Amino acid sequence: MQKTGRRLTIRQLIVALLSFSLLCGVGGTLLAASAIPFTAMSGTAANAVTRMFDDLPTGIDFTRPSEQSVILAADGTKIATFYAENRIIVKSDAISPLLKDAVVSIEDERFYQHNGVDAQGIFRAAVNNFTGGALAGGSTITQQYVKNALIEQGRILGDENLIAKATEDSIARKINEARYAIAVENKLTKDEILTAYLNIAQFGPSQWGVEAASRYFFGVSAKDVSLEQAAMLAGITQSPGKWNPITDPVNAKIRRDTVLGQMYKLDKITREQFEAASAVPIEAMLHVTEVPNGCATAGISAYFCDYVVQDVLKSKSLGESSAQRIQKLYRGGLVIKTTLDLHKQQAAYDAIVASTPVNDPSSVDMALSSVEPNTGHIVAMVQNSTYGNPTEQSPNNTKLNLNAGQDMGGGFGFQSGSTFKIFTLMEWLHQGRNVNEVINTDIRTFPANTWKIRCAPSVADVFNPSNLEGAGGGRMTVLESTRKSVNTAFAVMANQYDLCDIVDRASALGVRRGTLAQEGSSQTAEILNAGLHAEYGKPLPLLPNPGSILGTNPVTPLSMANAMASLAAEGKYCEPTSFTQITDNNGTILAAVEPQCRQAVDAELARQTTAVLQQVLTRGATGENAILAGGRPAAGKTGTADLDYHAWFVGYTPQLATAVWQGHYEGSISMFDSVINGTFHSEVYGGLYPARSFKQYMDNALANTPIQQFNKPTKDPLRGANRPPADANKNQDQDKDKDKNKDKENNDSNASAPNLIGMSQEDAQNTALAAGFGYTTRAKDSNQPAGTVVAQSPAAGEKAEPGIRIDIWVSNGRG
């Protein structure tokens, strides 16, 4: 503490010593004080007194009391509060003079006359003790401050012995308090002591300090309390449980009026003020305002709040050990400014619950993460569940953050499905290949010895990919295979390159597994047996087996959103960031987080990838439900895991990147034949709910922002001569294929989709084939005769590239 108090005069020292001696006599003899006659002012006596005061404690720089910490959104709005003791420290001028007068009147009416120890009060207490009363009494506000400060110091340090010594019922404790009190009086002004006391003492059942108590009971700050409110607070501190106006308003009024009477007796208020304040009912004074503690009160931002806490507790700026950081969070009065954009957060939540409401009977879960390119700032993070422990009334409650991995309060992650094809596409483009090249997409077996996996050769295995939703089969361009998400096409593509390069590029862009490496776990053993490095306590690396190209690695939605942000930033990866600044209770910056970015892949490669992925968000492609409003350009990819265990859409614009996941977090549970939000679906895939949620969110999140265009690549991957068809069979007639490709190029500009509406399924399929197109067939609820084509994409007459698949919807006759 800064030395701002008063130096005691010799006479004051003797008075203080007399009080101190009387205190020492409690339980012994009241005559102890006569050892130094009060009237004796000889040099010897004065010197003796001075020597005793020279021995007073000097280490009275009590730790600042615990104070609530707050987590704020990016715009400064409070998201959550954390505290071990609900306290808000304020300066003297932020406390009403009425409150100061009330506390002094009832607790220590001679506060401004004594020097830390009140001889008169001690004498009264001593008489009480000698006549059989309990050992107590006579404590000044200064002594009470000392006692509270020592207890608080023990709490902050986690020192139970210090707390026990500060609360024990003994003469030794009283003597120690008195010595500290005299020393404090010699160091601080009276107003500084009173302010310190009003900030540290308990003024409610769970409120410490007058500011938190004023806000809790009355909904006002300590500087704005009325007379009757000030008197009630002053009365509570003697016994917060006994005088609680909420649980016992009758006794609370008696105590309040006692304080008012004492203030009137000491001429702090007039008779009129006393009568007016005493007439106010307790109920009329109260406006109870709870201060919730922790993330559970953050509403739709609770999971993001939990992520921030995990992030903050990893910051060594708050201490070297985890225990120190936890103490800082709950006692340090921290102000944590986060990256959360409340507008985008609400838009994200609205988008996923519109698809799959909270507590939907299907028990299907959804999660959405959104990241700002070029900074890594997490601007939205939501899921369609209520934060908390499951109860009988709310069995779907969970504290598990579905967007994050185990290291950040989340789970194992989810199989990414076809969204992982993005990284095979990138390798294809990196090798200088063109997306107009034609591939044989027929289903076939890929022997183990055809795979190149230099970093983990033992994971090579026979691979038998199939195609979902009837897509694939026959010859198809890489571009159309991407638009239709044809599995066999990407197996053909990946089979020509090293899978380690594909997986490494995904990792470089930010894709992370959710599972932590743990000793004895089967997942960790799989990684180690493959010869890959795993660090215990850290997320496991992606496994580069053949299945990985179709998304068998369990990854987190946040990491997929961050990878999309890396593509949006033209290959620049930025660490995902949840907070930008932490300040302490003095406003000192403890941590300032700047974007941590690096160029993960070549910018030209990222631009080429974006140009191709933009075609996924076009009519007739798997991502057509994600096409953004107003012609805003966007790129992305759908994904559906085997048996519809998981469905994804990941995508981005130049300003914003987002990943949407849907499935069951409990494990691999198929979404076949699900009734979601009241609608039956035989299949649930990435182009359905995840794509719709992506569109709704992005449209609303970006509604008031200008439309930005992606930078075009120097070499447009959508143009250029076709190469020979890529296939596992190396003995094809390449010259013949070149001629076919040239013919196809010449005919592209004049091709259009035939009209199939009203035909039978068989006739429509034959017509499509005769016109040079393939087809996919899906059932659709319709009142047309069963087997009749009721819809198609591309539409009749629409320009279409020969060889692409026409989506044909056939009536099931069920209306």
Side-chain angles (χ1 to χ4, degrees):
M1 291 180 181
Q2 182 182 359
K3 188 170 182 177
T4 59
R6 314 165 313 286
R7 294 295 301 176
L8 300 181
T9 65
I10 294 296
R11 183 177 180 81
Q12 288 171 328
L13 291 175
I14 293 175
V15 172
L17 182 61
L18 173 61
S19 302
F20 183 72
S21 300
L22 281 170
L23 178 68
C24 295
V26 176
T29 174
L30 292 175
L31 299 179
S34 63
I36 302 178
F38 179 77
T39 57
M41 292 303 298
S42 67
T44 302
N47 289 338
V49 172
T50 301
R51 285 194 300 273
M52 291 193 70
F53 275 88
D54 284 341
D55 292 334
L56 288 172
T58 57
I60 56 173
D61 187 13
F62 297 122
T63 304
R64 184 180 173 114
S66 300
E67 189 174 4
Q68 61 177 231
S69 294
V70 293
I71 294 180
L72 309 177
D75 66 358
T77 302
K78 184 165 69 174
I79 300 171
T81 304
F82 292 80
Y83 55 82
E85 296 160 11
N86 182 23
R87 179 186 286 110
I88 303 169
I89 296 175
V90 292
K91 294 181 179 179
S92 175
D93 59 6
I95 302 173
S96 169
L98 288 173
L99 190 45
K100 293 179 181 179
D101 285 344
V103 169
V104 170
S105 297
I106 197 66
E107 290 293 319
D108 186 0
E109 64 182 74
R110 284 176 296 279
F111 173 68
Y112 292 103
Q113 286 75 51
H114 65 65
N115 294 288
V117 181
D118 183 9
Q120 211 174 317
I122 293 174
F123 187 87
R124 186 173 61 249
V127 171
N128 179 62
N129 293 329
F130 270 97
T131 56
L135 179 64
S139 291
T140 64
I141 283 177
T142 313
Q143 287 174 277
Q144 291 180 56
Y145 164 65
V146 167
K147 178 181 178 181
N148 280 303
L150 291 172
I151 292 171
E152 183 65 9
Q153 195 172 51
R155 287 172 178 157
I156 292 172
L157 297 175
D159 188 337
E160 294 297 330
N161 289 331
L162 190 58
I163 296 173
K165 287 181 179 179
T167 55
E168 65 185 7
D169 192 9
S170 69
I171 295 174
R173 190 259 293 176
K174 284 284 188 180
I175 292 173
N176 192 48
E177 277 179 16
R179 292 178 70 247
Y180 266 118
I182 296 169
V184 167
E185 290 272 348
N186 194 40
K187 197 174 183 73
L188 300 178
T189 66
K190 284 291 187 180
D191 189 62
E192 287 172 331
I193 295 169
L194 181 57
T195 300
Y197 171 73
L198 292 173
N199 274 314
I200 200 170
Q202 187 175 2
F203 285 89
S206 300
Q207 291 73 41
W208 278 261
V210 290
E211 180 66 16
S214 297
R215 294 188 188 187
Y216 171 71
F217 286 114
F218 316 125
V220 301
S221 292
K223 64 181 175 62
D224 298 322
V225 293
S226 63
L227 173 58
E228 57 270 20
Q229 290 171 339
M232 196 187 85
L233 284 181
I236 287 176
T237 190
Q238 183 195 64
S239 179
K242 181 178 180 182
W243 305 121
N244 185 347
I246 299 171
T247 57
D248 194 346
V250 174
N251 277 324
K253 185 178 188 306
I254 294 171
R255 178 64 176 168
R256 181 203 67 182
D257 293 348
T258 299
V259 176
L260 290 169
Q262 185 70 1
M263 293 179 74
Y264 173 63
K265 171 189 166 185
L266 297 174
D267 293 327
K268 301 295 183 183
I269 58 175
T270 65
R271 181 74 187 179
E272 291 75 14
Q273 287 177 305
F274 166 73
E275 291 176 350
S278 299
V280 178
I282 290 292
E283 293 80 4
M285 296 167 51
L286 297 178
H287 181 70
V288 177
T289 307
E290 295 281 355
V291 180
N293 192 3
C295 287
T297 61
I300 65 172
S301 301
Y303 296 101
F304 174 78
C305 170
D306 188 78
Y307 186 95
V308 172
V309 170
Q310 300 282 344
D311 214 1
V312 166
L313 293 180
K314 295 179 186 296
S315 176
K316 290 192 175 181
S317 59
L318 301 185
E320 286 298 319
S321 70
S322 176
Q324 289 173 326
R325 297 170 207 156
I326 291 172
Q327 280 279 63
K328 277 283 190 181
L329 176 63
Y330 283 90
R331 295 184 177 276
L334 305 179
V335 177
I336 302 163
K337 188 173 183 180
T338 73
T339 58
L340 189 70
D341 184 314
L342 291 179
H343 166 67
K344 291 182 174 66
Q345 180 77 347
Q346 188 64 55
Y349 183 77
D350 291 344
I352 64 167
V353 298
S355 288
T356 312
V358 177
N359 294 322
D360 189 73
S362 66
S363 295
V364 168
D365 305 296
M366 288 194 81
L368 182 154
S369 282
S370 192
V371 176
E372 183 180 71
N374 291 299
T375 65
H377 289 176
I378 303 168
V379 295
M381 178 183 283
V382 294
Q383 59 195 63
N384 67 330
S385 59
T386 301
Y387 183 89
N389 295 319
T391 64
E392 186 175 345
Q393 293 75 24
S394 302
N396 294 326
N397 287 3
T398 180
K399 289 185 175 180
L400 187 70
N401 187 344
L402 304 183
N403 284 287
Q406 288 183 306
D407 61 328
M408 298 299 287
F412 301 142
F414 312 103
Q415 288 187 347
S416 63
S418 293
T419 61
F420 209 85
K421 291 173 181 173
I422 291 171
F423 310 107
T424 295
L425 172 65
M426 292 186 74
E427 183 64 20
W428 181 265
L429 295 171
H430 172 70
Q431 296 292 337
R433 308 295 286 271
N434 188 282
V435 293
N436 284 324
E437 293 186 40
V438 177
I439 290 177
N440 181 350
T441 66
D442 287 342
I443 294 174
R444 86 285 304 275
T445 295
F446 295 83
N449 62 7
T450 65
W451 295 104
K452 294 177 279 293
I453 314 175
R454 68 179 186 281
C455 58
S458 64
V459 301
D461 201 357
V462 175
F463 190 44
N464 296 293
S466 60
N467 291 317
L468 300 178
E469 305 167 12
R475 297 165 57 77
M476 189 179 292
T477 64
V478 170
L479 175 60
E480 191 60 18
S481 297
T482 303
R483 293 181 73 250
K484 296 293 187 180
S485 197
V486 179
N487 290 345
T488 49
F490 281 84
V492 169
M493 294 160 65
N495 188 250
Q496 300 176 55
Y497 303 114
D498 195 315
L499 299 191
C500 298
D501 293 331
I502 294 172
V503 165
D504 287 349
R505 185 165 286 109
S507 297
L509 289 170
V511 180
R512 301 285 182 269
R513 288 182 66 159
T515 313
L516 292 180
Q518 296 176 336
E519 193 170 0
S521 79
S522 58
Q523 296 96 329
T524 304
E526 182 181 28
I527 293 296
L528 295 177
N529 291 337
L532 299 171
H533 175 71
E535 184 179 349
Y536 291 135
K538 302 287 186 182
L540 287 170
L542 300 174
L543 187 66
N545 60 2
S548 67
I549 63 174
L550 302 184
T552 56
N553 277 294
V555 300
T556 66
L558 175 60
S559 76
M560 290 300 289
N562 203 41
M564 296 307 98
S566 299
L567 285 174
E570 299 190 336
K572 185 168 70 175
Y573 165 82
C574 298
E575 288 284 344
T577 302
S578 67
F579 67 92
T580 56
Q581 183 177 275
I582 303 175
T583 57
D584 67 9
N585 39 28
N586 292 316
T588 302
I589 296 176
L590 301 179
V593 181
E594 297 295 330
Q596 301 296 311
C597 304
R598 57 177 168 76
Q599 195 68 32
V601 300
D602 181 72
E604 172 69 8
L605 174 60
R607 289 192 288 265
Q608 289 184 14
T609 304
T610 296
V612 178
L613 294 181
Q614 284 184 265
Q615 300 304 307
V616 174
L617 280 76
T618 56
R619 290 283 304 276
T622 58
E624 66 178 346
N625 283 331
I627 298 172
L628 301 187
R632 186 183 294 272
K637 184 70 186 74
T638 56
T640 309
D642 285 347
L643 300 179
D644 288 6
Y645 290 148
H646 310 284
W648 293 76
F649 191 88
V650 299
Y652 54 97
T653 67
Q655 305 108 307
L656 193 61
T658 300
V660 183
W661 164 86
Q662 183 179 37
H664 293 272
Y665 78 79
E666 300 96 330
S668 296
I669 301 173
S670 175
M671 291 186 286
F672 283 158
D673 300 327
S674 294
V675 178
I676 299 175
N677 199 10
T679 301
F680 172 81
H681 297 279
S682 58
E683 295 178 285
V684 179
Y685 43 91
L688 189 60
Y689 288 116
R692 292 175 183 172
S693 295
F694 173 86
K695 172 183 169 54
Q696 180 178 331
Y697 165 66
M698 296 289 278
D699 282 345
N700 290 330
L702 298 172
N704 297 318
T705 63
I707 292 178
Q708 290 186 18
Q709 302 294 327
F710 292 110
N711 289 328
K712 293 182 179 180
T714 302
K715 179 183 177 182
D716 187 351
L718 305 182
R719 295 183 178 275
N722 290 320
R723 292 171 176 268
D727 203 341
N729 183 354
K730 313 301 182 184
N731 298 316
Q732 295 183 24
D733 185 349
Q734 296 184 2
D735 290 335
K736 184 177 179 182
D737 285 332
K738 285 180 181 178
D739 292 337
K740 287 182 179 180
N741 291 337
K742 182 176 291 186
D743 291 340
K744 179 179 178 301
E745 272 189 277
N746 293 334
N747 292 329
D748 279 351
S749 60
N750 299 319
S752 59
N755 186 3
L756 309 177
I757 305 300
M759 295 183 180
S760 68
Q761 178 177 333
E762 183 178 356
D763 287 346
Q765 291 170 344
N766 290 335
T767 301
L769 292 173
F773 298 96
Y775 59 83
T776 59
T777 306
R778 304 178 188 178
K780 181 179 179 64
D781 289 344
S782 172
N783 56 12
Q784 295 297 311
T788 303
V789 175
V790 293
Q792 71 178 78
S793 180
E798 186 174 327
K799 183 178 178 181
E801 180 184 352
I804 71 166
R805 300 298 178 181
I806 298 177
D807 288 324
I808 300 171
W809 281 270
V810 178
S811 173
N812 58 15
R814 293 203 295 246

